[in-house]
Structure formats: structure tokens, C-alpha cells
Amino acid sequence: MRHFIDINNFKKKEIDEIISLAKKIKKYPKKYSSSCNDKTLGLIFEKQSLRTRLSFNVGMQKLGGSVLELQSKDIGLDNKREKAEDVLNVLSQYIDCVMIRNNNHKQIVNLSKENILPIINGLTEYSHPCQILGDFLTLQEHLKNIKNAKIAWIGDYNNVLRSLIHLQNIYNFKLNLIIPKEIFKNYKKEFQQYKNENLNHYFDPILGTKNSNCIMTDVWVSMGEKNKNKKKYFKNYTVNKKIISNATDNVIFMHCLPAKRGQEVTSEVLDGKNSAVLMQAKNRMYIQQAILIYVLKK
Ligand code: CP
Ligand code: NVA
């Protein structure tokens, strides 16, 4: 059984296949309009979502499949009424795969190990693999040679970054992390596991973003995080015009959204000519479609 939990569970060849399928679906959508006929996708959101909800929902319908949104509490996935595995066994009698967004990465890993129903990680506190594959598609559309790309991530050490690091470990593009010392110290050990000659950490935003082809950021405080106090550490880490002009001329600015304007990015950059954020949102759909076809393949 195929699941989609984390990018580092995959070989380069498999990721290449998913990206290549997404590109084909984007180019020839009609060819794929019955790829998921008679299949039903369950969506479970324990946190808010606009892009992931819409891209899975509309994407699955465009593949000829149907979608059911389920509430964890209503169906009892919270282990209170019956065991989550028992819920999954029953779900598998009606539907073909399930996407889960929660604050409990361990739970979706454990559920996937049961091999009852294909499970897709729609964001957890640990990672956001669907986002990063969508972003990889956007990057490939903008940059001629991904191998020589120089990407700078500026801001928090979070779920989106973790998936980006997983991707970097497979494709070996240059990735600079520009993260304040007060935040980075908590992740130093984790970072060491992934460290390689093309993956580096900087404290200084100007030094770390110099000559980048792509600057990425995300909110300073993710959904479900308790430590709202940490915002104070990011004072000099706002992506503004100065940081953009320090990069290459045609640098693209990326953000998974939702954005907090004036915090991690200025409106001038978010709405400016270098911004790829709406293309990122659009590309989410083609990637979700490719992931759905991938996990539903027998
Ligand atoms: N980028 C992203 O996952 O957006 P949503 O939280 O709105 O789904
Ligand atoms: N890091 C953000 C991503 C939202 C799509 C969060 O988890 O809130």
C-alpha cells in the first residue's frame, strides 16, 4: 500500500515521477479527467486550511473522483469512542484514501503503518510534504537548472522547512537557512543529521540571501504553536525590498501562505513582481492530483 507521509520516505526516482505526472496533468488536464473514477477521498482537517482543502477537493473532482470532508470528533478518530485503527478499518469499507491534517505526526505515521487505507499527510506540526512538492514544481517552472539553484529560507525552523530540507537531501541544491540563534539552538542537533556541503546555516539575513535565485519564508508562529513569544527574535528577518535586491535580479519570492503581512514579509514583496505565491497556490492542485493518482495506484 502507498502512503504519502514524508518526502524523505521516497527515492529521487519516485519524486521525479510525481512531479512529471503533475506537469502532465497541468498541461493536459482532460486526459486525466477519469483517472480517479469511482474513487473517494476523505479529508480530515484538525487545523484550518484554505489551499490544501481546496486543492485536494477540486483536484480530486477534476480527476473524476469524489470527496468527503470528515470531522475527527464526529467519526471518532480521537481514540475516545473506539481505537483510531478501528475507525480506519471501517472507513476503508467506504472510501479509498484519506488525507489528514493534524498536530500529531506520530498518529498519522502509526495509522499508515497499519496499511488499512492510503494516508496522505496534509500538514502536521512536523512536516508539510505536499506543500514542498508543489513548491518544487513552481521552482522548476521558474529556474532552468534546479541543480544549480540557490535557495534561501529565512525565518522559523518549522514543518515547511523540514520538508524542504528532506527535498534538499534528495536533490542536493544549495539551501541556506537564515534562522535567528535563539530559534536555531533548539534545532541544531536535528540540523546536523541533514547537514551537507550544500546545506548551510546563517544568522545574518543579508549574508545568507546573497545571490539567491529563490527566497522562501513562512509565518513566524505556526498553527497550534504555544510559544507566541518567539516573534521578538525575528526582528531583522522580515523579507523586504532590501533583502530581495541583495539576491539575483530575477529572484523569486515564495511563501506557502497564509502570510502575516508586515511580519515575515512586507506587502511590497508579497505583491511585487518577484512574488510567485499565487502560482505556488495554483500548483498545489496539480501536485495533489499527482499524489492521489500515485497513492491510489495498485
Ligand atoms: N499552504 C497551505 O497549506 O495553506 P492552507 O493552510 O490554507 O491549506
Ligand atoms: N508553518 C505554517 C504553514 C501553514 C500552511 C503552519 O503550520 O501554520
Side-chain angles (χ1 to χ4, degrees):
M1 183 168 284
R2 294 173 157 190
H3 305 281
F4 188 79
I5 307 294
D6 270 311
I7 288 178
N8 60 349
N9 301 147
F10 293 91
K11 296 192 179 74
K12 180 174 178 295
K13 194 172 159 268
E14 293 166 316
I15 302 287
D16 283 343
E17 270 170 30
I18 296 174
I19 298 279
S20 144
L21 178 58
K23 285 179 181 166
K24 284 188 208 147
I25 300 171
K26 186 171 181 177
K27 204 163 173 192
Y28 309 107
K30 287 215 173 84
K31 259 179 88 175
Y32 295 88
S33 61
S34 24
S35 299
C36 290
N37 269 0
D38 302 324
K39 300 288 182 197
T40 302
L41 162 70
L43 295 175
I44 298 177
F45 288 98
E46 296 181 2
K47 305 199 243 191
Q48 281 188 308
S49 171
L50 170 63
R51 285 140 286 259
T52 309
R53 172 175 271 123
L54 268 291
S55 54
F56 268 113
N57 203 321
V58 177
M60 184 59 164
Q61 291 184 55
K62 284 183 194 267
L63 297 175
S66 54
V67 184
L68 270 179
E69 213 171 298
L70 307 162
Q71 304 301 321
S72 299
K73 269 196 267 157
D74 294 348
I75 61 168
L77 199 71
D78 53 6
N79 274 309
K80 286 186 181 143
R81 193 161 178 246
E82 57 196 321
K83 279 180 71 186
E85 289 80 358
D86 293 336
V87 173
L88 215 58
N89 266 318
V90 174
L91 281 179
S92 72
Q93 306 304 307
Y94 309 114
I95 68 174
D96 303 280
C97 66
V98 65
M99 184 236 72
I100 306 177
R101 167 172 288 198
N102 72 10
N103 231 349
N104 187 353
H105 192 73
K106 261 199 195 125
Q107 183 188 36
I108 68 164
V109 171
N110 289 339
L111 289 177
S112 70
K113 283 185 186 153
E114 300 286 330
N115 281 328
I116 298 168
L117 205 55
I119 311 257
I120 300 171
N121 171 5
L123 177 148
T124 66
E125 79 289 5
Y126 176 77
S127 57
H128 197 2
C130 296
Q131 177 70 49
I132 284 303
L133 275 205
D135 292 351
F136 198 39
L137 172 60
T138 307
L139 270 165
Q140 291 190 15
E141 289 173 342
H142 278 82
L143 307 174
K144 285 198 185 75
N145 187 350
I146 196 75
K147 259 194 147 174
N148 297 334
K150 199 172 165 195
I151 300 171
W153 170 276
I154 171 164
D156 194 22
Y157 200 117
N158 67 10
N159 43 9
V160 177
L161 173 60
R162 219 171 256 115
S163 293
L164 179 63
I165 292 174
H166 291 163
L167 190 76
Q168 191 279 338
N169 272 216
I170 297 175
Y171 287 88
N172 203 33
F173 47 77
K174 285 198 172 61
L175 175 61
N176 286 351
L177 312 186
I178 304 114
I179 297 172
K181 62 174 184 301
E182 294 85 350
I183 302 290
F184 190 72
K185 68 173 199 267
N186 304 320
Y187 300 94
K188 218 171 161 180
K189 236 178 157 175
E190 179 181 335
F191 173 74
Q192 286 308 328
Q193 288 176 7
Y194 297 105
K195 174 86 183 80
N196 56 56
E197 74 284 5
N198 285 332
L199 176 65
N200 291 296
H201 170 250
Y202 293 79
F203 294 121
D204 181 355
I206 295 295
L207 214 63
T209 53
K210 197 158 181 57
N211 298 325
S212 304
N213 308 106
C214 167
I215 296 179
M216 275 193 195
T217 190
D218 187 10
V219 289
W220 293 336
V221 182
S222 286
M223 289 182 281
E225 260 196 81
K226 304 226 160 54
N227 184 8
K228 310 265 187 270
N229 256 336
K230 66 197 258 210
K231 276 189 199 158
K232 60 178 184 262
Y233 302 128
F234 296 99
K235 238 172 66 201
N236 300 316
Y237 288 73
T238 303
V239 182
N240 53 25
K241 228 174 133 188
K242 189 175 164 202
I243 288 188
I244 293 292
S245 56
N246 181 50
T248 52
D249 285 346
N250 49 4
V251 61
I252 59 166
F253 169 75
M254 295 179 84
H255 190 314
C256 61
L257 303 180
K260 289 266 184 255
R261 290 171 181 264
Q263 290 189 23
E264 72 273 8
V265 59
T266 60
S267 283
E268 196 178 19
V269 170
L270 191 68
D271 304 327
K273 67 174 176 31
N274 303 87
S275 177
V277 298
L278 290 178
M279 189 48 79
Q280 282 178 266
K282 183 172 179 169
N283 278 339
R284 291 289 307 278
M285 188 175 83
Y286 306 112
I287 282 293
Q288 322 295 37
Q289 290 177 309
I291 292 170
L292 285 166
I293 293 175
Y294 172 84
V295 298
L296 288 168
K297 210 167 169 177
K298 285 267 156 31

